[in-house]
Amino acid sequence: MEILLSEILLKIRHQENIFSSHIMQTSDEAYQMTLFLNTMLHNIKADVLKSGFKNEQQEIDFFKNIKPQILGKLIYYNKVFRLETTCPASKGKMYQSFYEKQLKILKTEYEENICNEDFYRYYRANRTDRDHSYFTLGNINYHDGLKSGVFEIDLTFSTYYDHKIAHIIANELIYTYLLSKINPEENPDALLQNLETNKDISWTNSQNALIELIYALYASNSVAYGKIGIRKLALIFQVLFQTPLNDIHHSFHRMKTRAGSRTAFLDQLKLSLEEYMDKDL
């Protein structure tokens, strides 16, 4: 069974665009996305259990790249729903203190359960030498002193480490969400409140292509004379094109070390523009 990451991300973005195009509260959007992602994961699980994988590389790709994206978003939207429905107020000091407390809790969980682990450094370094152990079924090494969560997962559909990546993805999304609640200037809606965006405008290339463009504009000081930060610039593009970007820093790190051209999208942009110019000659 072959599942393409690009198709999964496109389906998720499409559903996010559908919900964002309606006048809905954040809690309602988060709830609907939770249901959608849970159903998607359930259906994919049924297909995997029925058909399996054609080879080990396909299995590694699924548990390292594909499933964590779905599960990470599922964890994120479920968390947003819980936060939105438990926040004591819509503004004011209680509102501010609530989200500040949640941010502290998130940072504590990150320090205690994620960043100090060897696996986190492995994942961040974009290594592949232990992929066989981490991302194929039936290879959990209990001598590593794993957390008790390993006993709560379905080992027919998890290598344990796919859950870890999903939580890394979810934590980064939740972090950005909490910042947008605490700091209005970090809120993409506030940033673009005076910009008339058409919800039918969407980014139809890959996430990496958009991240490459954002970093190029940032590095060339082409926006606000370079006085705008990369995070805020990324938020603007996310709202403009109605497309979420996950860990842009990790994606940029992969670009720096990828084989072939490190600026593949910019190279293609230049070629496409030159071909378009030649049509007018």
Side-chain angles (χ1 to χ4, degrees):
M1 183 197 68
E2 184 175 5
I3 302 174
L4 298 178
L5 177 60
S6 59
E7 292 181 359
I8 292 296
L9 294 177
L10 187 61
K11 289 179 181 179
I12 294 175
R13 284 199 297 269
H14 176 68
Q15 199 64 35
E16 288 172 328
N17 288 340
I18 290 176
F19 291 138
S20 66
S21 66
H22 295 79
I23 302 176
M24 301 172 67
Q25 293 184 347
T26 302
S27 59
D28 293 331
E29 284 190 44
Y31 176 72
Q32 293 298 328
M33 282 303 302
T34 299
L35 296 180
F36 169 77
L37 290 163
N38 189 48
T39 300
M40 172 185 277
L41 193 61
H42 176 79
N43 292 337
I44 290 177
K45 177 181 178 179
D47 291 339
V48 167
L49 295 181
K50 178 181 178 180
S51 305
F53 303 100
K54 66 180 182 181
N55 53 47
E56 182 179 280
Q57 188 54 49
Q58 188 182 76
E59 182 177 356
I60 289 172
D61 181 59
F62 177 78
F63 287 113
K64 185 177 184 179
N65 300 310
I66 297 173
K67 183 188 171 187
Q69 288 293 335
I70 306 171
L71 183 57
K73 278 293 189 75
L74 177 57
I75 295 170
Y76 163 69
Y77 278 112
N78 184 58
K79 180 69 171 180
V80 170
F81 174 74
R82 290 167 56 194
L83 291 173
E84 289 287 334
T85 53
T86 55
C87 182
S90 59
K91 57 183 178 179
K93 292 183 178 180
M94 289 180 64
Y95 173 93
Q96 185 80 9
S97 62
F98 173 80
Y99 282 106
E100 287 177 351
K101 180 180 178 180
Q102 294 299 321
L103 184 59
K104 290 179 180 178
I105 292 173
L106 183 71
K107 289 180 177 179
T108 300
E109 291 176 349
Y110 170 78
E111 292 171 356
E112 293 179 352
N113 302 317
I114 296 180
C115 70
N116 291 323
E117 294 191 352
D118 291 337
F119 175 75
Y120 180 77
R121 290 186 286 272
Y122 176 91
Y123 175 67
R124 282 295 184 222
N126 201 32
R127 287 167 54 187
T128 60
D129 52 287
R130 296 196 63 187
D131 279 2
H132 170 77
S133 299
Y134 286 144
F135 304 112
T136 57
L137 295 169
N139 285 314
I140 295 177
N141 184 358
Y142 293 96
H143 284 103
D144 289 341
L146 306 177
K147 288 181 170 57
S148 58
V150 67
F151 303 112
E152 301 173 7
I153 62 177
D154 182 354
L155 295 181
T156 66
F157 188 59
S158 177
T159 70
Y160 175 64
Y161 291 96
D162 57 284
H163 271 245
K164 284 186 168 293
I165 294 180
H167 279 281
I168 292 171
I169 292 172
N171 272 33
E172 289 166 349
L173 291 171
I174 295 167
Y175 177 73
T176 301
Y177 161 80
L178 291 175
L179 283 182
S180 73
K181 292 292 185 177
I182 296 170
N183 303 314
E185 68 274 11
E186 295 289 347
N187 189 325
D189 293 326
L191 284 173
L192 299 181
Q193 60 184 348
N194 296 320
L195 179 63
E196 295 181 0
T197 58
N198 188 335
K199 290 186 179 296
D200 293 330
I201 297 176
S202 62
W203 181 259
T204 54
N205 210 309
S206 69
Q207 247 190 30
N208 279 344
L210 181 55
I211 292 172
E212 188 177 321
L213 176 62
I214 291 170
Y215 267 95
L217 293 173
Y218 175 72
S220 62
N221 296 329
S222 297
V223 180
Y225 301 100
K227 295 180 181 179
I228 186 171
I230 188 67
R231 177 187 293 277
K232 188 173 291 186
L233 188 60
L235 286 174
I236 290 173
F237 276 85
Q238 288 179 77
V239 174
L240 177 62
F241 291 119
Q242 296 294 306
T243 183
L245 298 175
N246 295 326
D247 184 357
I248 64 170
H249 300 294
H250 187 215
S251 298
F252 181 64
H253 175 76
R254 290 200 302 268
M255 290 177 194
K256 292 195 295 183
T257 58
R258 66 187 176 189
S261 173
R262 298 191 296 175
T263 56
F265 178 61
L266 297 180
D267 295 343
Q268 183 58 51
L269 274 184
K270 180 176 181 294
L271 180 62
S272 298
L273 179 58
E274 289 177 341
E275 290 177 349
Y276 185 77
M277 289 175 171
D278 290 340
K279 290 180 182 179
D280 296 332
L281 295 178

